[in-house]
Amino acid sequence: MNRDTDRAKLFGRRAAFLGVAKLALLGGLAGRMYYLQIIEGSRYATLADENRINIRLLPPPRGRILDRFGKPLADNEINYRVLIVAEDTEKAGGMKATLERLSQIVDISPKDIQRVLRDARRRRSFVPIKVVENLTWEEVASIQVNSPDLPGIDIDVGQSRNYPNGETLAHVLGYVAQVSETDLTGDPLLELPGFRIGKAGVEKVHDLALRGAGGTSQVEVNALGRIKRELERKEGEPGVEVELTIDVELQKFVEQRVGEESAAVVVLDIHTGEILAMSSQPGFDPNAFNKGLTTTYWRSLVNNEKSPLINKALVGQYPPGSTFKMVVALAALEAGIIAPDQTVFCNGVTELGNARFHCWKKWGHGHMDMHEAIEQSCDIYFYEIAKRLGIDRIAEMSRRFGLGEPVDIDLPGARSGVIPTRDWKAATIGQPWQKGETLIAGIGQGYVLTTPLQLAVMTARLVNGGMAVQPHLTRTIGGKPAHAYEPARIDVSPRSLKLVADAMAAVVNSPKGTAKSSRIEDETMKMGGKTGTAQVRRISKSERDTRVLKNEELEWRERDHALFVGYAPVGAPRYAVSVVVEHGGSGSAAAAPIARDVLEEVQRRSILPPLPPKTVASDKDQPGGEDSPLQAASLTGRSL
Amino acid sequence: MTLREKIWQINWSLILLILATASVGFAMMYSAANGNFDPWATRQMARFGVGMAIMLFIALLDIRFWLRSAYLAYVVVLVLLIAVEVFGSIGMGAQRWIAVGPIQVQPSELMKIALVLALARYFHGINLEDVNRVTSFIPPIIMILMPTALVLRQPDLGTAMMLAAGGIVLMFLAGVRLWVFIAGGVAALASIPIAWQFLRDYQKQRVLTFLDPETDPLGAGYHILQSKIALGSGGMFGKGFLQGTQSHLSFLPEKQTDFVFTMLAEEFGMIGGLGLLGLYALLLIYGVFIAMRSRSHFGRLLAMGVTVTFFLYVFINIAMVMGLVPVVGVPLPLISYGGTAMLTLLMGFGLLMCVYIHRDVPFGRRGEEET
């Protein structure tokens, strides 16, 4: 008993010590709690919020592109996508079984199934994986009807770019496609998977406006990244609408009229520079770029010798041929080296040094004044005045009409063409200028290269009273006018301009005109213009001595380019057109009829409001006055 | 004592305290399941009910029965541990459970009680003068080392630590001279490099991570870091019941088991955490009080041993989730989801209660009536 008392005493002491120690340790825990929750509490609270809040970007809907009458050229269509969530398929025998059941309802390739299964292994089981997209409404409906058999299958509604007119205007509109490394600018939208940006055409030029600004959604996520709920949503700004100057119905008419040819057509409002139609054919389907190109389709585009991917109206550079002659004529008139009624004799050939220069008319035109030379497109006349002018004065006049200069247009990739000068040749070819080259340039051949757009601009400037209009495609961006400018006046006398326009009217409407077979019968719609036929091969002396091969006898690639520039109506010009048919043969046969039909259509559609009476009225009041170089009555009367 | 007298002696306030603590656990199970009784709360309550019955049964048995059965219980649990070791090596890497009928039993948990029982019996049987003979403290050291080594092999660092600590505390209470502990401590320190060799890689990693959790925030340090964030963001009053963002958004691992205190502290803040600590402190004080009241040395050692084991659970678990000790698998007593730990604790409380009921029953070295 005594022993036990000692034992109990010792135990008591030690137990008390332990008890105190335990309470002290618990106190330590309380202190630690105080440190973590009170002293460090706000730091951890911040960390906790960072942990659970995830900011997600909401892609804004892309702005529509409309034509001048508000018809949609590019819009967004609802894109139904099938998503699969792996973990939800477990009850139904797993992903493979579900995908097989799904493939009986919609078309899924074995390749897609493999891709989905591969993705599923790499991702967490609750992350949705895209199975197929661009489903039709019927497919969506039948999936929904069968949804009890398809657990884990989800229909997701997104938006995808749609070009309702298909190939029509493809080159102008461009297309959207997935963002590539080099596109990244720091805009987080671009890093969204599946986001698409404008890669060409209007889609590219106005990409920022069309794109809008992304919204954000703050979502609460758990440690696995699964979304629990949305905390806050900030809607982005949808992209604004871009309205083009194009009339899509006219565009369709042009494209249909051109048909299978490899050609470029540009229709302009001569007073504003608004492009009413711009066609480059053949085209491509921009929808295919958005949805992913098939290899076959891509090959068919790349391997086509008619270059469907290139916008020939902007990028195609062609010798203007005889369509260049108006500019040369103006240069001559302005330089005073020839009077309008002074004639040059054409016997079919002229010589310079030991070189011979031929007229297209082998036996010659006889005596030609300027009006006749343009009307009948006499080459000898223009060799002669070009020889007197020299290349630099021709080049100088060309630039006033927008040739050989970069075109300020709201589309990427426009080429500037070539208007040669002595300096240009020295700089690019490194050889001195030859006098013979001036002669060839005088008929728009040799080094001279222009784009169809430039030719349309040149025509507009020739017939609009000498205003340096700039071509443009965009009418409004987000409802605000995209262009507001006063075109500068071109320093050319109205009298000279009138003479040239007069001659152009004769080209179509006089019995001797080179495009007489393409005249418009309707008196109120008559057109004027100029044909051009540009050689793409050199005709050797031996061939000329025996017989020049006809275009039909040549390979397509060797045939001449057919050109025509025109305007209408001759009384009060409103529209300018340029047509280039690659390897189409002669301008009068291949290009002028297209121009005729297009100008007839554009007038029939009366796209533009009637001109303010001022211009028309002043014509009558002051014939040949400064403001009105073109006068319907005198022009037609004289040429007919 | 008759059964009637015993029932009269049942310590109802202790039962109330246990019930209050366990209820906190039920609430946390309910919260862990985002406001559902399934899958945890209902089962936890059912287990608690069974555990309470077992507790009362143990409490009402004669304390001398427990004295006489102590070694047998120890041997049985040791055999179970060996069995787990054998089957564990056949089966998966770290098997800690053994199936007894429909229930899974974790022998290492039971050993916490069995060891206390065995040591209490041992020290009850020897005189104070004999305690410090070298030959007298060899058997208890062996009794401690055998299960500790087995559990360490499983590997379960937390339980091994608890077994060793519980045993050592019991030796301390029994009156073993202090220099023995000092010598043992020095020896243990010296053996750390050797022990290190025996640790599994993930255990080493846990210890290393504990020393600097920020170095591997997404790997081994993730648990500690997330736990500290959850706990710390609770602040003074917490985010509210069922409102713990960290735990409910699964940033917090094992929220219903080892990290349940974190969830509590996140949802109820420091007030809630201190409240639970208070409940635990009351239980501990109760345990010490019962130990002091016992007339038998067995009863004193048993009661104190149970209390110390209980304390070790509380301390290691909470210190662990607050990043004070390495992450080891120790549940929060009466709160964490899990059957065997609950059973072990309630068995321990049963013994504690048994000591209280029989506090004035005197008995001899082998449990015989004392005259």
Side-chain angles (χ1 to χ4, degrees):
Chain A
M1 194 66 215
N2 216 13
R3 282 177 192 158
D4 195 58
T5 318
D6 289 347
R7 215 156 63 157
K9 275 185 184 164
L10 182 67
F11 174 87
R13 280 204 303 277
R14 293 197 169 179
F17 168 76
L18 267 183
V20 171
K22 282 189 261 187
L23 290 179
L25 285 172
L26 287 186
L29 293 184
R32 176 72 172 170
M33 224 182 311
Y34 178 78
Y35 173 76
L36 289 177
Q37 298 192 289
I38 308 301
I39 296 176
E40 295 274 86
S42 57
R43 183 170 80 91
Y44 284 118
T46 314
L47 283 174
D49 276 348
E50 282 172 7
N51 242 349
R52 71 188 172 96
I53 292 170
N54 220 331
I55 294 179
R56 271 151 216 259
L57 269 176
L58 303 170
R62 194 169 174 85
R64 296 194 301 164
I65 303 174
L66 309 171
D67 89 339
R68 65 184 299 120
F69 297 117
K71 291 205 180 121
L73 303 175
D75 55 19
N76 303 307
E77 70 182 359
I78 289 177
N79 175 11
Y80 292 103
R81 306 191 296 168
V82 176
L83 305 178
I84 190 166
V85 180
E87 67 175 9
D88 296 340
T89 62
E90 279 157 19
K91 299 166 264 184
M95 284 189 73
K96 214 167 173 179
T98 309
L99 286 171
E100 267 157 28
R101 277 197 299 278
L102 181 69
S103 65
Q104 287 160 10
I105 302 167
V106 292
D107 196 27
I108 308 171
S109 68
K111 228 166 123 189
D112 279 329
I113 292 183
Q114 273 178 12
R115 171 184 54 81
V116 171
L117 293 174
R118 196 177 55 235
D119 281 2
R121 277 194 294 275
R122 277 197 301 244
R123 300 188 202 173
R124 293 178 189 276
S125 61
F126 59 83
V127 175
I129 297 162
K130 187 193 85 185
V131 184
V132 279
E133 56 184 344
N134 304 316
L135 293 184
T136 64
W137 173 244
E138 286 73 28
E139 288 172 316
V140 171
S142 63
I143 289 173
Q144 270 162 356
V145 167
N146 290 290
S147 62
D149 296 331
L150 300 167
I153 295 288
D154 240 340
I155 304 273
D156 172 69
V157 186
Q159 289 199 321
S160 80
R161 200 61 160 167
N162 176 48
Y163 303 94
N165 303 303
E167 287 200 5
T168 297
L169 273 172
H171 293 106
V172 169
L173 296 173
Y175 52 86
V176 294
Q178 303 249 6
V179 180
S180 64
E181 270 320 291
T182 49
D183 297 327
L184 297 176
T185 56
D187 184 344
L189 271 179
L190 301 182
E191 282 154 48
L192 274 181
F195 193 78
R196 285 170 166 83
I197 59 166
K199 290 281 193 173
V202 171
E203 293 276 27
K204 181 176 181 168
V205 170
H206 296 305
D207 188 56
L208 281 178
L210 291 165
R211 188 191 299 169
T216 52
S217 161
Q218 278 194 8
V219 287
E220 192 173 82
V221 294
N222 67 11
L224 304 172
R226 188 201 300 266
I227 299 174
K228 289 289 182 179
R229 65 190 159 122
E230 192 169 61
L231 299 172
E232 198 189 308
R233 192 184 177 89
K234 211 172 78 201
E235 293 295 343
E237 286 198 20
V240 300
E241 286 187 340
V242 169
E243 189 193 17
L244 301 186
T245 58
I246 297 283
D247 170 17
V248 69
E249 295 305 324
L250 177 69
Q251 177 79 20
K252 281 181 186 166
F253 176 87
V254 170
E255 291 181 7
Q256 209 209 329
R257 178 63 186 81
V258 169
E260 297 298 304
E261 301 280 9
S262 176
V265 177
V266 177
V267 183
L268 281 182
D269 174 345
I270 61 161
H271 293 296
T272 60
E274 286 186 356
I275 295 171
L276 301 172
M278 179 190 273
S279 153
S280 172
Q281 275 169 275
F284 58 89
D285 182 4
N287 289 305
F289 283 78
N290 182 18
K291 287 167 186 167
L293 286 169
T294 63
T295 332
T296 358
Y297 187 56
W298 176 246
R299 287 229 182 87
S300 76
L301 294 176
V302 173
N303 296 335
N304 189 335
E305 64 175 350
K306 294 180 177 173
S307 320
L309 289 173
I310 290 170
N311 185 355
K312 300 186 182 88
L314 296 182
V315 182
Q317 299 186 112
Y318 309 90
S322 302
T323 62
F324 190 57
K325 285 175 179 166
M326 284 81 78
V327 169
V328 179
L330 283 175
L333 286 174
E334 293 295 295
I337 55 143
I338 196 165
D341 50 3
Q342 207 176 330
T343 61
V344 171
F345 184 73
C346 167
N347 66 355
V349 68
T350 186
E351 289 183 25
L352 184 78
N354 51 8
R356 295 163 69 87
F357 298 85
H358 297 268
C359 185
W360 65 269
K361 194 168 184 181
K362 208 170 178 183
W363 312 114
H365 286 96
H367 289 279
M368 290 273 114
D369 66 9
M370 184 173 281
H371 180 85
E372 289 164 324
I374 292 175
E375 173 193 69
Q376 296 169 43
S377 203
C378 174
D379 291 333
I380 301 297
Y381 182 90
F382 285 95
Y383 291 143
E384 178 58 30
I385 62 172
K387 192 165 68 184
R388 296 188 199 168
L389 271 169
I391 190 62
D392 291 333
R393 282 196 281 193
I394 295 175
E396 200 275 322
M397 185 56 74
S398 303
R399 292 191 199 289
R400 295 194 208 170
F401 286 86
L403 304 178
E405 291 198 316
V407 188
D408 178 22
I409 189 181
D410 25 21
L411 274 187
R415 303 283 284 272
S416 57
V418 176
I419 295 297
T421 59
R422 287 161 206 286
D423 296 342
W424 173 85
K425 195 183 175 193
T428 51
I429 301 177
Q431 283 169 11
W433 187 260
Q434 306 284 318
K435 203 155 192 186
E437 291 167 340
T438 308
L439 272 60
I440 294 189
I443 59 160
Q445 297 264 157
Y447 298 117
V448 182
L449 290 175
T450 58
T451 66
L453 177 64
Q454 284 176 327
L455 291 178
V457 170
M458 171 193 83
T459 311
R461 291 181 181 185
L462 282 172
V463 297
N464 70 1
M467 305 303 289
V469 289
Q470 292 291 336
H472 60 270
L473 265 171
T474 318
R475 249 164 99 84
T476 61
I477 299 173
K480 294 186 195 99
H483 294 272
Y485 70 97
E486 275 297 310
R489 187 165 275 282
I490 298 172
D491 183 21
V492 179
S493 84
R495 196 171 295 277
S496 307
L497 283 171
K498 176 176 171 286
L499 191 136
V500 165
D502 194 2
M504 286 171 79
V507 165
V508 181
N509 298 299
S510 119
K512 284 184 179 170
T514 51
K516 58 180 183 293
S517 54
S518 297
R519 68 191 295 260
I520 295 173
E521 298 299 335
D522 187 328
E523 282 295 327
T524 61
M525 292 191 187
K526 284 188 177 301
M527 77 165 179
K530 180 75 196 77
T531 55
T533 306
Q535 277 175 30
V536 292
R537 62 186 190 115
R538 184 169 282 276
I539 299 173
S540 65
K541 189 174 179 297
S542 63
E543 188 186 334
R544 208 176 279 279
D545 287 346
T546 52
R547 186 178 68 90
V548 176
L549 287 170
K550 290 200 172 107
N551 272 302
E552 300 79 59
E553 295 167 308
L554 295 166
E555 286 281 308
W556 180 75
R557 284 215 148 272
E558 297 270 282
R559 294 179 195 169
D560 299 338
H561 293 314
L563 296 97
F564 188 85
V565 298
Y567 68 93
V570 285
R574 198 70 227 264
Y575 305 97
V577 67
S578 71
V579 177
V580 176
V581 182
E582 280 191 330
H583 310 295
S586 81
S588 57
I594 294 176
R596 186 242 350 256
D597 292 348
V598 169
L599 281 178
E600 210 169 21
E601 173 71 8
V602 73
Q603 292 180 89
R604 203 182 50 71
R605 287 184 52 75
S606 53
I607 294 166
L608 299 175
L611 272 184
K614 182 193 132 199
T615 326
V616 183
S618 65
D619 277 352
K620 281 175 186 162
D621 295 342
Q622 310 170 305
E626 283 263 313
D627 291 337
S628 53
L630 312 164
Q631 214 190 52
S634 68
L635 278 171
T636 42
R638 186 172 159 188
S639 36
L640 288 167
Chain B
M1 281 175 87
T2 63
L3 186 63
R4 199 194 173 97
E5 284 172 325
K6 287 183 182 177
I7 289 172
W8 196 245
Q9 290 295 324
I10 285 176
N11 201 324
W12 295 105
S13 50
L14 179 62
I15 289 179
L16 211 67
L17 211 51
I18 292 168
L19 190 64
T21 312
S23 299
V24 174
F26 302 150
M28 294 329 293
M29 293 304 105
Y30 180 78
S31 175
N34 293 318
N36 286 307
F37 284 102
D38 274 334
W40 296 307
T42 326
R43 288 168 71 180
Q44 184 84 335
M45 286 192 263
R47 278 181 193 140
F48 181 72
V50 174
M52 286 296 266
I54 292 169
M55 178 182 85
L56 287 174
F57 178 72
I58 288 171
L60 293 172
L61 284 177
D62 196 297
I63 191 164
R64 283 161 296 188
F65 166 80
W66 291 115
L67 178 86
R68 284 193 294 270
S69 320
Y71 287 155
L72 180 67
Y74 176 81
V75 170
V76 167
V77 177
L78 194 66
V79 168
L80 283 177
L81 262 182
I82 294 165
V84 165
E85 171 65 24
V86 171
F87 295 131
S89 62
I90 295 166
M92 293 160 293
Q95 188 164 341
R96 295 166 190 180
W97 295 272
I98 197 162
V100 180
I103 23 173
Q104 301 261 296
V105 180
Q106 207 174 329
S108 57
E109 280 291 326
L110 296 178
M111 181 49 87
K112 290 169 185 169
I113 297 299
L115 182 62
V116 168
L117 266 176
L119 289 173
R121 157 136 201 203
Y122 177 82
F123 285 113
H124 174 78
I126 55 172
N127 296 321
L128 187 58
E129 303 88 73
D130 298 333
V131 163
N132 283 299
R133 296 224 307 266
V134 175
T135 47
S136 325
F137 57 73
I138 298 290
I141 287 176
I142 290 169
M143 275 195 272
I144 297 165
L145 278 183
M146 279 197 297
T148 305
L150 282 169
V151 171
L152 205 55
R153 272 196 60 123
Q154 280 187 346
D156 184 348
L157 190 59
T159 305
M161 274 166 59
M162 279 185 65
L163 286 172
I168 290 162
V169 167
L170 232 74
M171 286 173 73
F172 171 75
L173 288 168
V176 174
R177 290 257 171 82
L178 289 173
W179 67 262
V180 178
F181 298 100
I182 294 163
V186 172
L189 276 176
S191 69
I192 282 177
I194 300 154
W196 185 253
Q197 311 283 319
F198 287 95
L199 290 179
R200 301 287 169 97
D201 279 346
Y202 85 92
Q203 291 171 318
K204 290 181 186 173
Q205 189 58 52
R206 278 184 179 180
V207 176
L208 289 175
T209 303
F210 162 71
L211 295 172
D212 191 5
E214 323 282 328
T215 52
D216 188 11
L218 291 174
Y222 180 78
H223 288 189
I224 297 169
L225 212 61
Q226 292 297 339
S227 178
K228 280 162 78 176
I229 291 173
L231 195 141
S233 63
M236 176 67 89
F237 298 105
K239 296 171 185 168
F241 187 49
L242 302 177
Q243 304 293 310
T245 54
Q246 296 300 287
S247 30
H248 286 134
L249 301 172
S250 9
F251 288 106
L252 190 61
E254 300 166 57
K255 58 176 179 285
Q256 77 280 12
T257 58
D258 290 355
F259 283 84
V260 67
F261 185 80
T262 307
M263 183 165 65
L264 177 113
E266 190 191 9
E267 297 197 343
F268 296 106
M270 193 170 85
I271 301 297
L274 289 180
L276 185 64
L277 280 185
L279 282 176
Y280 283 142
L282 282 178
L283 279 168
L284 289 171
I285 290 166
Y286 225 117
V288 175
F289 162 76
I290 289 173
M292 298 291 207
R293 286 290 307 275
S294 174
R295 278 187 64 186
S296 65
H297 200 52
F298 177 71
R300 289 193 287 262
L301 287 172
L302 186 57
M304 205 56 194
V306 167
T307 310
V308 164
T309 301
F310 177 73
F311 169 78
L312 288 172
Y313 271 111
V314 173
F315 183 77
I316 295 176
N317 177 275
I318 298 181
M320 169 183 91
V321 302
M322 290 202 272
L324 289 170
V325 300
V327 175
V328 288
V330 172
L332 187 64
L334 299 172
I335 310 278
S336 284
Y337 182 77
T340 318
M342 175 76 87
L343 195 68
T344 307
L345 280 157
L346 290 174
M347 281 164 66
F349 284 121
L351 289 173
L352 191 63
M353 222 173 273
C354 183
V355 170
Y356 183 75
I357 291 169
H358 302 90
R359 61 192 179 275
D360 293 323
V361 179
F363 48 88
R365 287 181 59 168
R366 289 184 175 76
E368 69 276 13
E369 290 280 346
E370 253 187 16
T371 46

